[in-house]
C-alpha cells in the first residue's frame, strides 16, 4: 500500500556531504511524523532525526549541527542533508514514516535502507 524508496547513499571522505532522499508511493491521507534511523554493524538501530506534522525537528546529539532533516509534503519526499561527515556516521540509514492511509488507517512504514560509508 505504501512503499518508501531511499536514495543518495554512497562512499564519501571524512568532511564530505551527502543528501539522502526517501520518496513515498501510495495513497496517504495524513503524515503524522517522519524520521531517519541508522544502524551500524554490531549496534542497535537508533534515531538520527525526526520531524513532526507541525514541522518540529529533533536530532540525536551526535549529529546536531551537522545534519538537517526536511520534507516536501507536496512531493511526498523526506530528506536528510548530512555535512561534515565522520567515520562514525558509517551505517545503513532507514527512513520511517508514521502515516494514515485511506483504507488501513494509521501505520508505520520503513524504507529498505541505504548504505552510507565515510572513509578516506
Amino acid at each position: 500500500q505504501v512503499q518508501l524508496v531511499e536514495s543518495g547513499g554512497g562512499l564519501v571522505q571524512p568532511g564530505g556531504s551527502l543528501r539522502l532522499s526517501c520518496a513515498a508511493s501510495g495513497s496517504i491521507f495524513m503524515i503524522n511524523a517522519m524520521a531517519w534511523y541508522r544502524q551500524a554493524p554490531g549496534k542497535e538501530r537508533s534515531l538520527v532525526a525526526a520531524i513532526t506534522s507541525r514541522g518540529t525537528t529533533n536530532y540525536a546529539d551526535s549529529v546536531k549541527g551537522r545534519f538537517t532533516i526536511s520534507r516536501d509534503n507536496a512531493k511526498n519526499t523526506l530528506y536528510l542533508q548530512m555535512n561534515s561527515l565522520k567515520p562514525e556516521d558509517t551505517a545503513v540509514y532507514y527512513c520511517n514514516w508514521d502515516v494514515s492511509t485511506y483504507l488501513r488507517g494509521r501505520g508505520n512504514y520503513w524504507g529498505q535502507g541505504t548504505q552510507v560509508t565515510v572513509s578516506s
Side-chain angles (χ1 to χ4, degrees):
Q1 183 178 343
V2 177
Q3 289 188 330
L4 305 179
V5 179
E6 302 178 25
S7 62
L11 175 65
V12 65
Q13 296 185 24
S17 299
L18 286 174
R19 189 179 75 157
L20 306 183
S21 299
C22 178
S25 62
S27 184
I28 298 174
F29 176 74
M30 180 174 64
I31 301 174
N32 302 301
M34 308 156 85
W36 289 96
Y37 290 76
R38 67 185 181 187
Q39 187 169 20
K43 297 183 178 180
E44 296 183 352
R45 188 174 300 185
S46 62
L47 179 68
V48 176
I51 184 168
T52 70
S53 61
R54 293 178 173 84
T56 301
T57 58
N58 291 288
Y59 297 91
D61 289 339
S62 59
V63 307
K64 193 172 298 182
R66 299 187 298 119
F67 290 10
T68 303
I69 186 171
S70 62
R71 65 184 182 185
D72 188 336
N73 288 341
K75 298 180 179 179
N76 281 341
T77 302
L78 176 71
Y79 303 97
L80 183 67
Q81 178 67 46
M82 304 184 294
N83 299 325
S84 301
L85 283 163
K86 304 175 181 179
E88 50 262 44
D89 295 318
T90 296
V92 178
Y93 285 71
Y94 301 89
C95 60
N96 177 273
W97 289 33
D98 176 9
V99 304
S100 296
T101 63
Y102 291 104
L103 295 179
R104 297 189 178 185
R106 189 168 183 172
N108 197 264
Y109 298 86
W110 291 92
Q112 293 298 113
T114 184
Q115 176 71 48
V116 173
T117 302
V118 184
S119 176
S120 59

